[in-house]
Amino acid sequence: MTAPEGRGIGTENTFRILHVSTGNVCRSPITERLTRHALSDRLGDPLTGGLIVESAGTWGHEGAPMEPNAEIVLADFGADASGFTGRELLDEHVIRADLVLTATRDHRAQVISMGHSAGLRTFTLKEFTRLVRAIDPATLPDPLGEGVVERARALVRAAAALRGWLLAPSAEADEVNDPYGAPITYFRSVGDEINTALDPVVTALTGVPARA
């Protein structure tokens, strides 16, 4: 089935989130698995709500395992690192995605340059967090009534509409730096950074705040 212009080709009852970094062995795996963990915490089973979370890398190490320090970071948060293999970003990943969240502005530009009407659904993670914070949750579909998928689609449309109005305070504000090759302390700081950015996003997607 051909998708409407400007969004992915998920079936009517699914919403695909694609996290993108460079090698798909550090930042995007951490973000993918922390997103899944947070969604499970809010929804029980994200697939029940129709949310599918994946990742890939612009220079992805196809078939490579996650970096060991990334696994340690995920364990710190109680998130599951098992069964992960790296992927190189392909056209089909972008085509299928309803929301693409990248580690940096360069990654965002690379995704958008692939075409597939990706511009309106591709953001850096921190950019999307900033935009989501400005959206009144009352203007979004009720996740219990219309469903999480419809709410997620409306959230992306609202964020795209705000993008030109809410600019980053600095160029670096929308970046998540690469911890590849760094010690575990730096990986943990990046993990904390990603987790902090994800919290309002998952709350907005699901309508369910994090448990205290």
Side-chain angles (χ1 to χ4, degrees):
M1 180 175 63
T2 302
E5 191 73 7
R7 58 169 294 266
I9 60 170
T11 61
E12 287 303 309
N13 61 347
T14 62
F15 182 92
R16 287 181 179 269
I17 302 169
L18 176 67
H19 292 295
V20 175
S21 63
T22 303
N24 194 215
V25 291
C26 297
R27 287 168 292 182
S28 51
I30 290 173
T31 315
E32 173 197 313
R33 294 308 176 95
L34 286 180
T35 303
R36 289 188 188 181
H37 181 67
L39 288 171
S40 295
D41 186 58
R42 317 292 174 92
L43 299 176
D45 181 358
L47 292 177
T48 300
L51 302 180
I52 300 169
V53 186
E54 302 171 315
S55 65
T58 55
W59 289 86
H61 300 178
E62 188 72 30
M66 192 184 308
E67 280 290 295
N69 280 347
E71 293 188 0
I72 292 171
V73 167
L74 290 174
D76 289 344
F77 288 100
D80 183 14
S82 65
F84 180 86
T85 54
R87 302 193 306 176
E88 182 176 355
L89 181 67
L90 303 176
D91 289 89
E92 66 190 65
H93 301 145
V94 177
I95 291 168
R96 289 167 62 86
D98 295 282
L99 172 62
V100 184
L101 297 176
T102 69
T104 69
R105 291 167 299 145
D106 282 347
H107 297 131
R108 181 185 64 194
Q110 288 179 67
V111 172
I112 293 172
S113 73
M114 295 172 73
H116 315 301
S117 304
L120 291 177
R121 51 195 166 89
T122 302
F123 310 80
T124 75
L125 171 61
K126 288 186 173 181
E127 174 191 21
F128 196 65
T129 300
R130 184 177 69 254
L131 298 172
V132 160
R133 287 183 184 277
I135 297 168
D136 181 355
T139 65
L140 300 173
D142 180 357
L144 296 178
E146 297 175 70
V148 173
V149 167
E150 285 307 312
R151 183 183 178 92
R153 289 176 181 161
L155 183 68
V156 173
R157 290 193 296 269
L162 283 174
R163 178 150 40 191
W165 298 92
L166 289 177
L167 302 179
S170 68
E172 293 72 31
D174 284 343
E175 307 276 293
V176 175
N177 292 324
D178 192 356
Y180 186 77
I184 185 60
T185 51
Y186 190 72
F187 265 83
R188 284 187 163 125
S189 70
V190 168
D192 288 340
E193 192 177 345
I194 290 170
N195 191 61
T196 298
L198 279 174
D199 180 65
V201 171
V202 175
T203 297
L205 283 168
T206 63
V208 181
R211 286 185 280 185

